[in-house]
Each structure stands twice: as C-alpha cells, then as structure tokens.
Amino acid sequence: MDSAMVGIGVVVTVICVVMVVLCVVSMMLSSGPKYPKVQEYTLDQAWTRQPLLFSATEIEPMALPHHAGPTDTDGGSASGKW
C-alpha cells in the first residue's frame, strides 16, 4: 500500500511541476494585453465630443445606519486644486 502511495505521489508531483513550468513559460512568451493606443488631446485641437454631465440628484436615497453627520455625502466628493 505504501509503495502505491509513493508512486501516485511522484506522478502527481511531476504533473504539478510540469504544469507550473508550462504556466511560467506561457507568461514569459505572452507580451501582455493589446489595448488600442489612446489619442492624446491638446488644447489646440477642436473638441468633438459631447459634454458629460454628472449629477448627484439621480442617486436613490440611502439608508444610513446612524444619523447623518457632516462627513456623510450623498453623491461622493471631490477635492483638488483649481
């Protein structure tokens, strides 16, 4: 019984090592995902896209587990240097 378990264990170990080596080789040969090149926009070009409008009034009312505080926001917040 012990010799059968050793034989099965060696076969399973060899199969796992071969699969790991194949995975590593396939990752080395793949050059990553191919994404289309993003065209850069500069201010001297004409803007041809429609404007985007984000509004916090379309958000469903949220049920807070506690009373609303000064840090609770309805639609998120933004910060930055203008």
Side-chain angles (χ1 to χ4, degrees):
M1 178 82 177
D2 288 338
S3 62
M5 288 175 36
V6 169
I8 292 172
V10 169
V11 170
V12 169
T13 304
V14 168
I15 290 173
C16 288
V17 169
V18 168
M19 296 300 279
V20 167
V21 169
L22 288 174
C23 287
V24 169
V25 169
S26 70
M27 286 188 292
M28 287 174 46
L29 293 177
S30 69
S31 60
K34 306 284 190 254
Y35 295 111
K37 186 166 174 90
V38 177
Q39 184 179 9
E40 276 192 38
Y41 172 76
T42 56
L43 292 176
D44 61 340
Q45 298 172 343
W47 185 257
T48 58
R49 296 186 183 147
Q50 294 292 327
L52 295 175
L53 177 62
F54 297 104
S55 174
T57 59
E58 298 171 358
I59 296 175
E60 296 291 327
M62 57 184 168
L64 298 174
H66 53 80
H67 293 290
T71 59
D72 294 334
T73 58
D74 198 17
S77 63
S79 62
K81 194 174 189 181
W82 292 88

